[in-house]
Amino acid sequence: MRLHPTDATPTKGPTMPELPEVETVRRGLAPAMEGARFHKVEARRGDLRWPLPKDFVQRLEGQTVEGLGRRAKYLLADLSSGDVLLMHLGMSGSFRVLREAGESTPGKYHHERGKLIAHDHVVFHMGNGAVVTFNDPRRFGSMKLVRRAELEQEPLLRALGPEPLGNAFDAAMLARACRGKKTSLKAALSDQRIVAGLGNIYVCEALHRARLSPKRRASTIATRSGAPHERAQGLVDAIRAVLNDAIKAGGSSLRDHRRTDGALGDFQHNFRVYDRDGKRCPTSGCGGAIRRIVQTGRSTFFCPVCQR
Ligand SMILES: [Zn+2]
């Protein structure tokens, strides 16, 4: 896996996988897991970010994965027992899938994922012969079993806002959520209660596409009564476009992998502003240069000329 060309930039640490990466992982894991039974499960340590349930292995072995879904940055495997296996990649988590055809690492990452066997913490041996390994050097990832009937009360999911690619997310909803908010647009869009699954990278990218400044007050996408300003619609469209493009790029990386035996993640990220401090703004006719500022402790990349 090749590193991003500017990986030596000292201004940032590893980035948390965002919605498109997690969705790509889901699509990569689905063929190995959906409809397959957990034949044998190895939990090589008792904890990731949090302790694994004591009966983790027993509750998985023998169960069939009826579907593999996603909510924000969580993967949700629906099991035949009525349990749901919740999985989160954290900062450094990744999956490898070993099948007869070869090995793959579904997902695209801005930073290289771990490869040391010592960090292979959980291994699923599926009844169809696939071996799915979770590797996580920093152990901020997590796995948890929740009864499907109790999923709506699950604390990790309960407070999440709507899915940005779902029907519940639209200009009216976003304007209502931002009405009267004195925080910046950057902070509002990063708030998982307002919209789920966006992180630093795609918030920066979406704001650039919408030509809105990350420093703009969140309340300015709504009228005083809370109705959506036209900026709200532009922002919703930009968020959807940025995510769909990234998912498409991730999907093509999965397809490429089937054609060749190259490592996954070895393809270009086409970020317009993220990590492009000092580079020329890609908006046609703009001529501005991308700047980096720090907002609520995180780097924001934007063009001060065309983002207002
Ligand atoms: Zn610009």
Side-chain angles (χ1 to χ4, degrees):
M1 190 186 293
R2 191 177 302 150
L3 292 180
H4 189 267
T6 56
D7 239 3
T9 315
T11 51
K12 57 184 176 50
T15 48
M16 179 88 84
E18 297 188 31
L19 188 154
E21 286 80 13
V22 180
E23 178 59 24
T24 303
V25 171
R26 189 194 71 74
R27 293 177 187 192
L29 290 179
M33 294 185 76
E34 279 186 332
R37 196 171 50 85
F38 287 101
H39 172 66
K40 185 177 161 222
V41 173
E42 294 175 62
R44 295 186 177 166
R45 49 182 306 140
D47 63 317
L48 295 169
R49 180 172 186 174
W50 301 301
L52 292 171
K54 283 206 172 59
D55 51 0
F56 183 72
V57 170
Q58 295 89 306
R59 278 167 78 179
L60 290 178
E61 284 183 349
Q63 301 305 324
T64 298
V65 178
E66 295 183 336
L68 186 65
R70 180 189 56 75
R71 174 76 173 105
K73 297 179 218 172
Y74 290 91
L75 294 167
L76 286 80
D78 253 301
L79 309 184
S80 46
S81 58
D83 276 333
V84 177
L85 172 61
L86 241 72
M87 299 178 281
H88 195 287
L89 296 166
M91 296 294 285
S92 58
S94 66
F95 285 97
R96 290 201 311 278
V97 179
L98 182 66
R99 311 191 79 168
E100 274 119 57
E103 197 171 47
S104 66
T105 307
K108 69 186 191 81
Y109 300 99
H110 190 56
H111 290 266
E112 186 159 25
R113 298 285 116 174
K115 288 203 182 77
L116 284 177
I117 288 170
H119 300 139
D120 288 350
H121 302 312
V122 180
V123 185
F124 302 137
H125 301 265
M126 307 307 292
N128 58 12
V131 180
V132 177
T133 301
F134 181 68
N135 181 291
D136 189 0
R138 297 171 141 224
R139 279 190 288 116
F140 283 113
S142 59
M143 291 197 190
K144 184 175 181 178
L145 284 160
V146 182
R147 297 297 296 165
R148 190 183 300 151
E150 288 158 21
L151 208 55
E152 275 184 34
Q153 286 85 53
E154 166 54 38
L156 294 172
L157 305 178
R158 200 175 45 198
L160 291 173
E163 285 289 318
L165 296 174
N167 292 334
F169 181 69
D170 60 17
M173 173 269 144
L174 189 59
R176 263 196 316 276
C178 290
R179 179 188 178 191
K181 273 213 184 309
K182 293 191 176 74
T183 54
S184 66
L185 263 185
K186 168 85 190 300
L189 294 179
S190 304
D191 184 340
Q192 301 299 301
R193 295 166 299 184
I194 292 179
V195 53
L198 289 183
N200 211 35
I201 294 175
Y202 295 104
V203 169
C204 291
E205 292 293 308
L207 285 168
H208 182 262
R209 265 201 219 208
R211 300 196 179 193
L212 293 174
S213 169
K215 298 188 281 188
R216 172 183 276 281
R217 260 192 195 204
S219 61
T220 61
I221 66 162
T223 66
R224 203 171 293 178
S225 66
H229 187 278
E230 65 181 18
R231 292 182 198 110
Q233 188 59 54
L235 191 49
V236 164
D237 293 344
I239 289 168
R240 290 219 171 104
V242 158
L243 294 176
N244 281 324
D245 283 358
I247 290 170
K248 215 167 134 192
S252 57
S253 80
L254 292 175
R255 278 193 299 281
D256 289 348
H257 184 77
R258 288 195 203 105
R259 280 206 301 272
T260 70
D261 57 0
L264 263 180
D266 185 12
F267 64 96
Q268 282 305 112
H269 289 272
N270 295 311
F271 298 141
R272 295 187 188 186
V273 289
Y274 186 78
D275 212 13
R276 298 193 70 241
D277 191 15
K279 303 255 168 56
R280 202 185 152 94
C281 172
T283 300
S284 70
C286 171
I290 307 304
R291 269 186 60 196
R292 184 182 79 92
I293 56 171
V294 175
Q295 286 179 292
T296 55
R298 306 291 307 274
S299 290
T300 297
F301 298 90
F302 76 111
C303 171
V305 177
C306 66
Q307 289 180 255
R308 290 320 187 75

